[in-house]
Amino acid sequence: MRFNKSVIYLMLLLCAAMLALPRYSGAAEKKLFEINIPMEKGAPVSVTTADGTVREVGTVKALPTKTRWPSYTASAWSTPGTVCASAVNAIHMLVSVEKDKGRTMSVIPQETIAPAAGPGASVVISSKAGESLFGAWAPPVGSAVFVRKPDGSEAPLSAGSLPKAKDTLIIIANEDDSLPYMVNIENRPGGRVIAWNRGGYELLGRVIRPLGGTGRFEGTLFQRTGAIRANHSGVIDVSTTPRGKTGGFQIIPWDHALKSKEMQNVWNMTQWLVIGPADGKSMMGGTPPLFKKGLVSGPATGEKLWNPWSTYGRKSLVLARYDNGKWQRLKEVDGRSNNGLKGITELRIYYPFTEEIQKQR
């Protein structure tokens, strides 16, 4: 059988294109739920699940009067019209990138400490921090955000399409089956960052600066020990204290540690674990699976989703090995402790799931 040279060339191009596709392309995404936030004080905030069930999760207490610019550095690494941070004390959404700096709008609980939101740039809802949209119904980083008009028309959130009175802010939370089920991080210089997925494992990167201590990261006040406090384009924030106490650590990509003025102290402190890419040159900030799509704070104690798998599968969990021992829950360390986590030799981050594992994986 003879092939035309142009056909062979096209086949080679197709193969190359397939190999060039990103590992976490989002091709296997499925819709989990839709968050509806009316731009009207006193209006109910609701969540609609994939089966059409509607749940009320709070009410609107205050509306934004402006956006925030410049916002935190890593916000600019997200895509405009998407969630750029998901935390127990705030949801930040990227409106636009102007002069390489992000413009954001936020959703925050009535009970909160959320300095990154900025005064007047948030929708305030009646939910408690760590619950509702900041717990069970937290949308992952990268979730699409739309503005729905009273006539039913929709447009992505942008500088030219900000929510006004009578509009509804819509956030679509998806689940991506291409994400790993866990990531291991060897806590030593040069330690491997390994993602475990259905096909085996993948080297995501290497540890540049290992973790040694804890800091007073304010939002940890609203999260339990060993759970994700926040995930955004440049941070994974983990709580080392129970709700009501403050203490935790952060995992950040090397680009955040190198480029962001507010992060220069990480090179002199022990509260941050800095990781770099496997190829030694790529940007990690704003990319899955660590800094986009997967990680959420998850349901608080007593919160329930649509079935047992989603309720327990979406609960965030971070385990540790101390002195190369067995995997165990993180030990409680509160406040600032420069050496409080020095015994950790490896960390494990579990990714959320919403179906029985043997069906999904």
Side-chain angles (χ1 to χ4, degrees):
M1 186 175 181
R2 302 176 69 180
F3 288 94
N4 184 287
K5 286 184 178 180
S6 61
V7 173
I8 295 174
Y9 179 66
L10 287 173
M11 291 174 67
L12 289 172
L13 280 179
L14 179 60
C15 291
M18 291 176 69
L19 289 171
L21 284 172
R23 167 69 181 83
Y24 305 101
S25 62
E29 284 189 359
K30 64 177 180 181
K31 183 177 178 179
L32 291 182
F33 54 85
E34 176 183 300
I35 298 168
N36 294 262
I37 307 174
M39 293 294 102
E40 182 181 351
K41 287 185 180 180
V45 177
S46 64
V47 170
T48 303
T49 53
D51 64 1
T53 303
V54 180
R55 293 170 171 81
E56 186 174 322
V57 295
T59 57
V60 176
K61 306 298 290 186
L63 297 172
T65 57
K66 58 182 179 180
T67 54
R68 183 177 189 182
W69 186 90
S71 193
Y72 60 95
T73 299
S75 65
W77 303 339
S78 288
T79 304
T82 68
V83 171
C84 55
S86 184
V88 294
N89 54 332
I91 298 169
H92 302 307
M93 301 163 291
L94 184 62
V95 174
S96 60
V97 179
E98 304 164 24
K99 298 179 180 179
D100 296 325
K101 298 183 183 298
R103 180 181 296 277
T104 57
M105 177 180 287
S106 304
V107 180
I108 62 175
Q110 192 173 21
E111 168 203 29
T112 191
I113 301 170
S122 303
V123 181
V124 181
I125 67 172
S126 61
S127 308
K128 289 183 177 181
E131 299 180 10
S132 181
L133 304 187
F134 317 99
W137 305 102
V141 174
S143 297
V145 184
F146 297 91
V147 176
R148 182 179 294 161
K149 298 295 182 182
D151 64 4
S153 62
E154 294 182 356
L157 177 70
S158 68
S161 181
L162 294 172
K164 301 176 182 177
K166 305 297 183 181
D167 291 347
T168 303
L169 195 64
I170 307 294
I171 304 174
I172 307 296
N174 290 336
E175 184 176 63
D176 191 334
D177 281 348
S178 69
L179 292 173
Y181 56 86
M182 67 182 182
V183 168
N184 285 2
I185 303 174
E186 297 171 342
N187 189 39
R188 56 180 172 78
R192 296 172 299 175
V193 182
I194 298 175
W196 294 90
N197 50 55
R198 285 171 291 181
Y201 68 88
E202 176 185 2
L203 181 67
L204 297 179
R206 296 278 183 176
V207 172
I208 297 175
R209 183 173 175 82
L211 178 69
T214 59
R216 299 184 186 92
F217 299 107
E218 293 174 326
T220 54
L221 183 70
F222 307 114
Q223 185 56 294
R224 65 189 181 278
T225 307
I228 303 292
R229 194 283 296 182
N231 184 214
H232 71 55
S233 311
V235 158
I236 300 170
D237 194 344
V238 180
S239 174
T240 57
T241 53
R243 186 181 177 103
K245 292 185 178 182
T246 302
F249 65 89
Q250 294 188 343
I251 302 167
I252 66 171
W254 73 327
D255 23 274
H256 201 12
L258 290 171
K259 297 179 181 179
S260 304
K261 290 182 180 179
E262 69 266 31
M263 301 304 294
Q264 293 310 298
N265 283 338
V266 304
W267 301 108
N268 304 312
M269 301 178 74
T270 62
Q271 288 77 17
W272 287 271
L273 193 161
V274 183
I275 60 176
D279 64 9
K281 58 184 179 180
S282 297
M283 180 170 177
M284 293 191 79
T287 65
L290 295 171
F291 304 106
K292 186 178 181 181
K293 290 192 175 183
L295 302 173
V296 292
S297 50
T301 302
E303 283 196 296
K304 293 182 179 180
L305 293 173
W306 54 92
N307 60 32
W309 296 111
S310 58
T311 297
Y312 292 99
R314 278 199 114 222
K315 281 189 176 180
S316 56
L317 177 63
V318 180
L319 299 183
R321 294 175 65 207
Y322 292 85
D323 300 318
N324 294 310
K326 295 181 179 179
W327 288 106
Q328 63 182 79
R329 291 187 177 273
L330 281 175
K331 296 175 182 177
E332 182 183 331
V333 183
D334 63 356
R336 178 173 173 177
S337 173
N338 292 336
N339 298 306
L341 301 176
K342 202 158 187 176
I344 291 179
T345 48
E346 193 170 1
L347 290 167
R348 173 173 288 174
I349 304 171
Y350 286 91
Y351 276 65
F353 61 90
T354 59
E355 295 179 0
E356 191 172 359
I357 295 177
Q358 57 260 40
K359 291 182 180 179
Q360 185 189 41
R361 302 299 178 189

